[in-house]
Amino acid sequence: MARHEQVPTVSGERRRAEVVDQPRHLQGNMGVGELAMSVLAFSAPLTTVAGFIPVLLMFGGKTGPAIYIVATVILLAFCVGFTVMGRTVPNPGGFYAFVTQGLGRSAGLGGALLATFGYFMIGFFAPPFFAITIQGYVEKNLGGPHIGWGWYALAIVAVTTALAYRRIDLSAKVLTAVMVLEVIVVVIFDVASFAHGAPSGAGGASLSLPWVTDPNIGVALLFVVGNFFGFEATVIFREEVKDPDRTIPRATYLSVAGIGVFYALAAWAYIAFTGADKAQAAATANMGGMFTDAMTALVGKTVVDVVTVLLMTSILASMLSIHNVTARYMHSLGTDGVVPTALGKVHPKHGSPYAAASIIGALWAIGVVLFVALGSDPNVLYARASGIGSFAILLLLFAASVAVFFYFRHNPSSQPVWKTAVAPILSAAGIGVVAYLAVTNYSDLLGGSGFFTSFFLFFTFALFLAGMAYARVLRRRRPEVYQRIGRQEL
């Protein structure tokens, strides 16, 4: 669709001038392993296992592991068309480029605004969550002084901004090192839980399959799908990986399948420790301390102290991964001229989107200062920021799944029909169900007042429509920018 749109033409002189003025490409040399680790870092393995899987068990009980497998199957179906389209449309820009190619420039720009806003909000979960974690460790474990959460939050913003400012290879090395340590901790937890065995009369480690009529299945599925959002990074970093046509598909499948199996096993390990019949009650009674208490019982307090430190680095790694993704979305919009072109600048030495990364860090810092001044509770703040951002990315994922199907209907491919039609239809249907559940359970997702949830629900949809309207304005007033929407060549 997007390839065949009739758009106003631009003079040859103007086109040549714009090509000269375009920033040069981002630079990097990531391989399959580093790219997959960047995706895994997005979901923060240790943070997810310690903080979010207990929430899943509270809603889904012994169906938790199976819910992860259901989400994995849906997203693997999406990956089929996603990777084929990635080879056919080798544009950087992630879902921004894909939605543009499949549904047109207007929808593409709407999707880009959703993505930028969504990732920005998801990333903002980290400063208050990190502050809570380190504040408790310093005061309770080390007997240190009380320091306001805002100072800790500003510190992690400064660190991630400094790393995101530099070449992606540095971030990849940091993320890989942290991810290896986190994975080791979770594997120790899994092995120790299964070896320990559930208490007698607690149902053992048996599992159950979820069903659409299960209470709270919608909320449970939403939490699970959110753990996979970072896999878009595989195409966002297209300019910064070696041999992208081979690296990106491998990293995509490895990331999605790996995340699904990894977290399903961790959820099952919880059940093996508490017993299937008591998992939901245990999570409800001790959601925040469930992991720490289990690790203390399994391996001792000394190891738990090490795990607590790793939890802080896990939050840092997650925030850095999200920072990198958000910066590249803003960079793509700046490169296309949709937002000020200064945001599309590339650092002459690091080959990084340093301007976009710096702006994001500055906005997060302003947000921290603002919420501290308002006296906001960081416990509430991080949960709401994550929920708001996750909903926006879920809508973007649904738009991308529909775009893949329509793209191949208008651009026939030599690939098998099951890759270009069947898999995209199935994934769109599955993601559509999750999106519907997100809308109907939005108040539970945010845990806020009726006005609060209604406002952000309306705002998220309005943001997509505003992007479409802005694209129409660009079509009339700045046709040369309109032509570039979606990182398309002139």
Side-chain angles (χ1 to χ4, degrees):
M1 292 176 66
R3 288 186 171 187
H4 305 297
E5 284 184 290
Q6 297 297 318
V7 296
T9 58
V10 187
S11 68
E13 292 81 0
R14 195 171 184 179
R15 286 189 179 189
R16 284 192 292 272
E18 288 166 0
V19 171
V20 171
D21 293 339
Q22 286 178 349
R24 61 193 182 85
H25 295 304
L26 300 173
Q27 296 178 5
N29 194 37
M30 289 194 293
V32 174
E34 291 173 320
L35 187 55
M37 285 297 181
S38 294
V39 175
L40 183 60
F42 188 102
S43 66
L46 194 53
T47 303
T48 296
V49 172
F52 289 99
I53 289 184
V55 177
L56 167 65
L57 296 177
M58 182 176 68
F59 288 117
K62 58 185 177 182
T63 66
I67 293 174
Y68 266 111
I69 300 303
V70 170
T72 302
V73 171
I74 292 173
L75 292 175
L76 283 175
F78 174 78
C79 288
V80 173
F82 174 76
T83 53
V84 173
M85 192 169 177
R87 291 193 182 100
T88 309
V89 185
N91 298 5
F95 291 158
Y96 170 39
F98 285 13
V99 174
T100 299
Q101 290 286 343
L103 301 178
R105 290 175 172 85
S106 295
L109 186 53
L113 296 187
L114 267 183
T116 306
F117 169 74
Y119 284 127
F120 179 87
M121 291 302 296
I122 292 175
F124 193 65
F125 101 92
F129 188 55
F130 176 81
I132 295 168
T133 303
I134 192 171
Q135 190 179 58
Y137 182 75
V138 168
E139 294 178 18
K140 296 178 182 178
N141 293 58
L142 302 181
H146 173 77
I147 299 175
W149 72 268
W151 295 109
Y152 291 120
L154 289 174
I156 193 173
V157 169
V159 172
T160 56
T161 302
L163 289 170
Y165 184 95
R166 300 176 66 84
R167 186 179 172 95
I168 189 62
D169 296 8
L170 175 60
S171 293
K173 288 180 173 60
V174 172
L175 294 176
T176 299
V178 174
M179 288 306 98
V180 168
L181 294 174
E182 289 187 50
V183 168
I184 290 173
V185 170
V186 175
V187 170
I188 291 174
F189 168 69
D190 292 349
V191 173
S193 293
F194 286 113
H196 173 271
S200 60
S206 61
L207 304 178
S208 296
L209 294 175
W211 191 243
V212 291
T213 57
D214 290 350
N216 301 314
I217 183 63
V219 179
L221 192 56
L222 293 177
F223 274 105
V224 167
V225 172
N227 293 149
F228 292 84
F229 284 155
F231 80 89
E232 185 193 358
T234 58
V235 289
I236 289 177
F237 294 133
R238 183 177 183 86
E239 293 178 314
E240 300 160 272
V241 301
K242 48 191 175 185
D243 194 5
D245 287 339
R246 291 169 60 88
T247 299
I248 290 175
R250 292 178 180 179
T252 301
Y253 283 114
L254 178 62
S255 299
V256 173
I259 286 173
V261 173
F262 183 77
Y263 289 140
L265 285 174
W268 194 8
Y270 272 108
I271 292 172
F273 176 74
T274 64
D277 297 338
K278 296 185 177 180
Q280 190 165 17
T284 303
N286 187 27
M287 185 179 65
M290 191 177 184
F291 179 78
T292 303
D293 289 351
M295 286 292 283
T296 301
L298 293 169
V299 296
K301 188 177 183 304
T302 301
V303 176
V304 173
D305 289 339
V306 175
V307 170
T308 303
V309 175
L310 285 176
L311 179 58
M312 298 176 203
T313 60
S314 174
I315 300 168
L316 171 64
S318 176
M319 186 176 177
L320 175 57
S321 178
I322 299 168
H323 198 150
N324 284 328
V325 171
T326 312
R328 277 147 188 82
Y329 256 106
M330 196 174 286
H331 165 79
S332 289
L333 291 171
T335 299
D336 287 348
V338 174
V339 298
T341 55
L343 293 176
K345 288 184 177 179
V346 177
H347 196 282
K349 177 182 178 182
H350 303 303
S352 63
Y354 73 101
S358 299
I359 288 295
I360 292 166
L363 290 175
W364 276 340
I366 292 171
V368 169
V369 173
L370 176 62
F371 284 111
V372 168
L374 293 174
S376 300
D377 181 356
N379 290 281
V380 176
L381 182 60
Y382 90 79
R384 287 183 175 176
S386 179
I388 292 168
S390 295
F391 179 66
I393 301 303
L394 181 62
L395 295 183
L396 172 68
L397 184 60
F398 175 70
S401 65
V402 174
V404 171
F405 173 78
F406 278 105
Y407 175 80
F408 286 115
R409 299 287 62 75
H410 291 271
N411 301 273
S413 170
S414 60
Q415 294 290 328
V417 175
W418 74 270
K419 287 187 175 183
T420 60
V422 177
I425 288 175
L426 292 176
S427 65
I431 296 169
V433 170
V434 179
Y436 170 76
L437 292 172
V439 173
T440 57
N441 292 276
Y442 196 62
S443 59
D444 294 328
L445 185 66
L446 297 191
S449 64
F451 172 79
F452 180 83
T453 55
S454 298
F455 171 80
F456 277 103
L457 185 64
F458 171 80
F459 178 82
T460 305
F461 282 105
L463 192 63
F464 182 81
L465 297 176
M468 296 184 68
Y470 182 36
R472 295 297 180 182
V473 172
L474 292 174
R475 178 186 173 94
R476 293 194 306 270
R477 299 183 179 180
R478 300 180 64 192
E480 72 284 358
V481 173
Y482 180 78
Q483 285 181 303
R484 289 199 298 266
I485 289 175
R487 300 300 302 269
Q488 299 186 83
E489 298 292 336
L490 290 175

